[in-house]
Amino acid sequence: MTLQRDDFEYAGLNSRDDLQVEMGNVVLPSAPAMAEQVTDIPAMYGNQFNGTDFTSRTINIPVSIYCADNQDRFNQIMHNLSGLLLSDDPSDNGKEYPLVFGFEPKVTYWGHITAISDPTPINPGMYDMTLTITFVQSDPRATLPQVEKSLNNGLNTITVDGTARTAPVIQVVPKRPLKYIGFNLNGGQFGLGPESPNDQDTAVQPDISVINDPISSLATWTNDPNAIRGIKSDSDYKYQGSVTIDNHESNMKVAYINGSKDFGPMPEGQPNMWLGPTYRYTGMTQSLTDYRVRVGIHHSRYSGAHNGRAMGKVQFSFLDANGNSIGRFAISDLMAGGKSYVTLQLCELGSNFRDDKYRTLYWGYGPRGGFYNHRDEKVKIKTGTTTRTVIKKSRSRNGKVTKKSIKENVDTYVTVVNQHDGTALTNAWLYLDLTKSGNVYTWKINQYNTSNGQPYHDQNKHLVASGRFVDTQHRFDSALGGFGQSFLKHPIWEDREKVSYTVPYMALTDLQVWKHTQPQPSEPTYVANAGEEIVMDCENDTVTVNGRLVSPVWSTDYPQLKPGVNGLTMVGDLDDAKMTLKYLPKLL
């Protein structure tokens, strides 16, 4: 929505439409609060000046409410104003939100509401009122729209708008494995990998790419019954149906046949088993004793009385060279409308994940901050009709009451429950990063934002889990030889009575495999393989390689861009790499 000149927007709320107030004249402060730091030294003429602290900036926003003599409307607006601007949720503590004024639409102020003054009448006896909303920025700088600029290897000239320094975020996707990468900016240095040419010559490449499949084709997948026979799950199942590739989203999901998702024909009755397509990956040409696998799976349950009861299981299977299960990574629903969970398991050959031949590395519902438990909803489902006898009474003209037995058809129903429970995994896109080195397994599961494709970091609301397991008894030594992918649904009453509903969205979104070599502690290593995304984020002081946090090896600090002309020099084997600089110009 385009802001009018006398509107403002806070945390996505429009002053006129959402808060139902009219903004008055806002006078922006000339500077943030400042505190001079000095030291009084005895016998010294004057003080020792130690600098100035620039603290918060306060913006007072006068607003008016016009309700004439309608007290009920005024009360409603005041309750609405407080409810939208303030929060008693402890998880909201410490959060700041964007404020944008219509008279300055390209400038964003980040801060929080600290006060809403008592209303003052404009006209005595009426409910036309003025009040002031106090907005405070803990960081007094404002931001302009984000700038994105492609970078070249070597020197780049960057002209920065605004009046304050700002932090660069540099994303690099190399075309070949990198021994080192970095940049020089305004006297600062930042980088990954060994600086010494001798160390670069002896650098060990710990992970050599074997598969980099964006899931854009079914050419390397098969659902031949003999090929998928060894793929196991943790409950009874029947593999049937088909999948398709969504070229727009670049993922694998259940195919549509005659307007419905193809989970195959429903067996007679209501079997207690999972049904749906399973495919085996045939594009792996070598078995790997030590390996690293990164894979993404997605599960989303739809809303609605029947849709919310639907049960789905998206499972990615690790296989040996003969197609037998040696592990699995899955998101699944437990019951109709109940919580969703994720699991990561290893198994011995021949295990069905219901015996004593498997090991669970992770099983859980995700963080408690992602839980919700709404009131259970009873859902009536028509099961048929029956005939019953009823007594009809009638009164004749002479006043006598007569009774007559008649038969009528009535509908019969069964009542089921939509539990309306959910977790962070009910609608989740998860990436697993698993490495096997000898008998040591290290793993990380990270939930990703479905809107921007970036990993979440708030462990209170989204799944961010990791672990390490040492297979001391060498129970799970089977070499990795392939993969399987399953999209399963569990029948519910709606299937039995042919009530239309939508099964959860399930997808396989990415598959990458590397042959792993474990370097010695003193050996220099490559920092990234071809195609891996490196993000050097000087805003959050972090560095990631394909979403994995790493530490910078050589750095004076996290360099900053200054207002005006900057010289930024990229270093490394980056001639044909894709490099992007992102930053937010800032205003004092």
Side-chain angles (χ1 to χ4, degrees):
M1 177 186 298
T2 301
L3 284 177
Q4 298 182 36
R5 185 172 181 80
D6 56 350
D7 289 350
F8 70 88
E9 186 177 273
Y10 172 72
L13 301 171
N14 181 275
S15 57
R16 189 180 304 272
D17 296 333
D18 300 312
L19 304 180
Q20 301 176 57
V21 300
E22 292 190 19
M23 184 179 74
N25 292 329
V26 175
V27 179
L28 296 175
S30 57
M34 292 179 280
E36 180 188 28
Q37 299 298 320
V38 298
T39 302
D40 185 12
I41 300 176
M44 177 181 175
Y45 185 78
N47 294 322
Q48 173 70 46
F49 176 59
N50 298 319
T52 301
D53 290 339
F54 294 91
T55 57
S56 60
R57 181 206 301 258
T58 300
I59 301 176
N60 292 309
I61 310 172
V63 299
S64 300
I65 300 173
Y66 295 99
C67 295
D69 59 350
N70 191 334
Q71 183 180 10
D72 289 340
R73 173 170 167 74
F74 172 75
N75 293 338
Q76 178 185 1
I77 291 176
M78 288 302 297
H79 288 310
N80 184 58
L81 189 68
S82 298
L84 291 175
L85 292 183
L86 307 177
S87 173
D88 61 355
D89 186 346
S91 65
D92 289 337
N93 290 337
K95 290 184 179 178
E96 295 197 311
Y97 298 95
L99 170 68
V100 179
F101 294 107
F103 58 79
E104 200 179 35
K106 292 185 178 181
V107 178
T108 302
Y109 300 89
W110 286 86
H112 54 282
I113 302 295
T114 61
I116 303 175
S117 70
D118 291 336
T120 300
I122 299 174
N123 301 310
M126 305 297 283
Y127 289 94
D128 297 335
M129 303 281 182
T130 64
L131 53 88
T132 299
I133 299 171
T134 302
F135 174 84
V136 175
Q137 293 179 269
S138 56
D139 181 341
R141 293 168 296 184
T143 62
L144 295 170
Q146 178 176 283
V147 174
E148 293 190 19
K149 178 179 175 61
S150 296
L151 296 177
N152 301 313
N153 197 14
L155 178 63
N156 297 265
T157 300
I158 312 296
T159 303
V160 177
D161 293 332
T163 58
R165 295 189 311 153
T166 187
V169 178
I170 298 177
Q171 296 173 290
V172 179
V173 180
K175 294 291 186 180
R176 57 182 63 83
L178 288 181
K179 296 180 180 179
Y180 73 103
I181 181 177
F183 65 92
N184 301 318
L185 173 63
N186 293 329
Q189 296 181 345
F190 182 88
L192 299 173
E195 285 186 274
S196 166
N198 290 334
D199 287 342
Q200 293 171 16
D201 291 340
T202 60
V204 176
Q205 188 175 356
D207 295 323
I208 300 173
S209 180
V210 175
I211 295 173
N212 185 6
D213 189 343
I215 315 299
S216 58
S217 171
L218 282 178
T220 53
W221 296 85
T222 179
N223 63 345
D224 180 270
N226 292 322
I228 64 176
R229 183 175 294 129
I231 301 175
K232 307 295 183 182
S233 189
D234 60 338
S235 52
D236 293 335
Y237 53 83
K238 183 176 182 181
Y239 295 151
Q240 58 183 26
S242 60
V243 301
T244 187
I245 296 296
D246 185 335
N247 290 318
H248 177 68
E249 299 289 343
S250 189
N251 62 39
M252 179 194 296
K253 61 184 183 181
V254 181
Y256 273 84
I257 301 294
N258 297 325
S260 299
K261 292 183 179 180
D262 184 20
F263 288 95
M266 187 62 56
E268 292 296 326
Q270 190 178 12
N272 186 30
M273 66 170 55
W274 293 84
L275 312 167
T278 288
Y279 281 63
R280 178 178 167 186
Y281 186 76
T282 61
M284 195 161 172
T285 59
Q286 57 179 307
S287 294
L288 303 175
T289 302
D290 292 329
Y291 52 84
R292 177 184 162 209
V293 176
R294 185 174 186 269
V295 64
I297 57 176
H298 190 171
H299 170 281
S300 290
R301 202 159 65 203
Y302 296 93
S303 61
H306 300 292
N307 297 342
R309 287 177 26 83
M311 299 170 63
K313 178 188 294 185
V314 51
Q315 174 178 297
F316 179 82
S317 300
F318 296 84
L319 310 176
D320 71 356
N322 296 316
N324 298 308
S325 289
I326 59 174
R328 73 187 190 106
F329 172 50
I331 308 174
S332 179
D333 297 306
L334 269 179
M335 57 191 70
K339 297 176 182 177
S340 306
Y341 70 91
V342 64
T343 188
L344 172 62
Q345 297 173 321
L346 305 175
C347 73
E348 302 175 34
L349 290 177
S351 173
N352 60 5
F353 297 101
R354 287 179 286 175
D355 47 30
D356 59 355
K357 297 180 179 180
Y358 70 92
R359 168 81 182 210
T360 299
L361 302 185
Y362 183 85
W363 194 103
Y365 298 117
R368 295 195 60 82
F371 283 16
Y372 62 85
N373 185 0
H374 299 159
R375 178 176 295 180
D376 290 353
E377 177 186 10
K378 292 184 177 180
V379 181
K380 291 179 66 176
I381 298 176
K382 182 180 176 180
T383 58
T385 58
T386 187
T387 302
R388 69 178 182 181
T389 301
V390 296
I391 305 298
K392 293 283 187 177
K393 296 180 180 180
S394 62
R395 188 180 296 274
S396 64
R397 290 183 178 180
N398 59 12
K400 289 186 177 182
V401 176
T402 60
K403 299 180 180 179
K404 183 179 181 182
S405 297
I406 63 172
K407 293 183 177 181
E408 65 179 8
N409 293 328
V410 295
D411 294 331
T412 57
Y413 296 89
V414 63
T415 299
V416 295
V417 175
N418 181 356
Q419 297 195 41
H420 274 306
D421 296 341
T423 70
L425 308 175
T426 302
N427 299 289
W429 181 21
L430 301 182
Y431 266 91
L432 167 69
D433 198 327
L434 171 72
T435 297
K436 178 183 180 295
S437 180
N439 66 340
V440 179
Y441 293 83
T442 54
W443 56 271
K444 180 178 182 179
I445 301 173
N446 209 146
Q447 187 169 351
Y448 273 59
N449 187 314
T450 57
S451 298
N452 60 23
Q454 297 300 309
Y456 287 112
H457 300 292
D458 185 352
Q459 300 184 34
N460 295 319
K461 290 189 175 182
H462 303 101
L463 180 59
V464 182
S466 60
R468 182 175 183 270
F469 165 62
V470 181
D471 182 17
T472 54
Q473 299 179 357
H474 296 274
R475 296 173 57 195
F476 312 112
D477 268 350
S478 298
L480 178 68
F483 305 98
Q485 180 59 42
S486 302
F487 302 108
L488 308 175
K489 62 172 278 188
H490 196 284
I492 54 179
W493 268 98
E494 282 83 347
D495 292 291
R496 180 175 179 176
E497 302 303 332
K498 296 181 173 55
V499 176
S500 177
Y501 71 94
T502 304
V503 180
Y505 173 85
M506 297 178 283
L508 171 69
T509 60
D510 189 29
L511 174 59
Q512 297 180 75
V513 182
W514 297 265
K515 180 180 179 180
H516 179 72
T517 301
Q518 185 65 41
Q520 296 301 312
S522 60
E523 285 184 302
T525 62
Y526 283 63
V527 297
N529 289 305
E532 291 188 321
E533 182 189 50
I534 304 164
V535 179
M536 295 175 281
D537 187 344
C538 297
E539 178 76 34
N540 297 307
D541 294 351
T542 60
V543 185
T544 60
V545 177
N546 253 16
R548 293 178 293 120
L549 280 172
V550 297
S551 298
V553 177
W554 44 281
S555 172
T556 54
D557 203 344
Y558 290 89
Q560 302 286 300
L561 291 163
K562 63 183 181 181
V565 178
N566 297 256
L568 188 155
T569 302
M570 298 297 302
V571 294
D573 194 0
L574 303 170
D575 284 342
D576 50 0
K578 180 181 179 182
M579 295 182 286
T580 305
L581 166 68
K582 300 180 181 180
Y583 64 90
L584 287 169
K586 295 185 177 181
L587 298 170
L588 291 174

